[in-house]
Amino acid sequence: MLSRTALSSAFRQSSRPSRPLAAQFTKPLPARLTPLQIRLLSTETKAAIDKAVGSAPVVLFMKGTPETPQCGFSRASIQILGLQGVDPKKFTAFNVLEDEELRQGIKEYSEWPTIPQLYVDKEFVGG
């Protein structure tokens, strides 16, 4: 029987990256999306998303609106922002259900396959 210390030590060893940190970020395709899921993001869509991401300090791409979220994860995101005291004047939300190009484009833009997606100061925080 392995002791807890030996087991956690073995886990730490196995979970360490085998390649240098910089090499982990030079993959030709994102690991989260398969080649079939990747399509070319149009210049117009990319420009529109760039503009949207820069439109406020905190930007949320969600299903529905802050007043009427259309999925549980979008609702949870709005609740978390409220609990964290995010000023509604510094917060903008975009309903991806209104525009299919935005809905697919934001996934490619961030290389993250799910919605909602949160950006803080133009940086993708998570989804």
Side-chain angles (χ1 to χ4, degrees):
M1 179 178 254
L2 290 174
S3 72
R4 175 174 251 177
T5 307
L7 187 58
S8 64
S9 175
F11 176 74
R12 280 194 303 273
Q13 289 290 342
S14 68
S15 65
R16 289 190 181 136
S18 58
R19 298 183 299 158
L21 185 60
Q24 293 180 29
F25 299 104
T26 58
K27 296 178 183 177
L29 292 175
R32 295 177 293 272
L33 299 175
T34 68
L36 293 176
Q37 292 172 311
I38 294 176
R39 65 184 183 104
L40 295 177
L41 186 61
S42 73
T43 309
E44 296 83 15
T45 302
K46 184 179 182 326
I49 293 172
D50 281 336
K51 184 177 179 182
V53 167
S55 66
V58 178
V59 178
L60 180 66
F61 293 90
M62 63 182 289
K63 294 178 181 176
T65 65
E67 297 78 24
T68 56
Q70 297 297 307
C71 83
F73 295 110
S74 292
R75 181 182 318 280
S77 297
I78 293 297
Q79 290 173 341
I80 291 168
L81 290 172
L83 290 172
Q84 293 300 313
V86 174
D87 184 357
K89 295 175 187 169
K90 295 183 178 180
F91 167 71
T92 301
F94 291 92
N95 182 0
V96 300
L97 298 177
E98 293 177 345
D99 183 351
E100 186 61 29
E101 189 70 22
L102 173 62
R103 186 176 184 174
Q104 294 307 317
I106 194 65
K107 295 174 187 178
E108 295 162 28
Y109 182 86
S110 64
E111 297 179 355
W112 190 258
T114 61
I115 294 168
Q117 294 187 10
L118 182 67
Y119 290 79
V120 176
D121 294 326
K122 300 180 184 177
E123 182 180 342
F124 177 62
V125 175

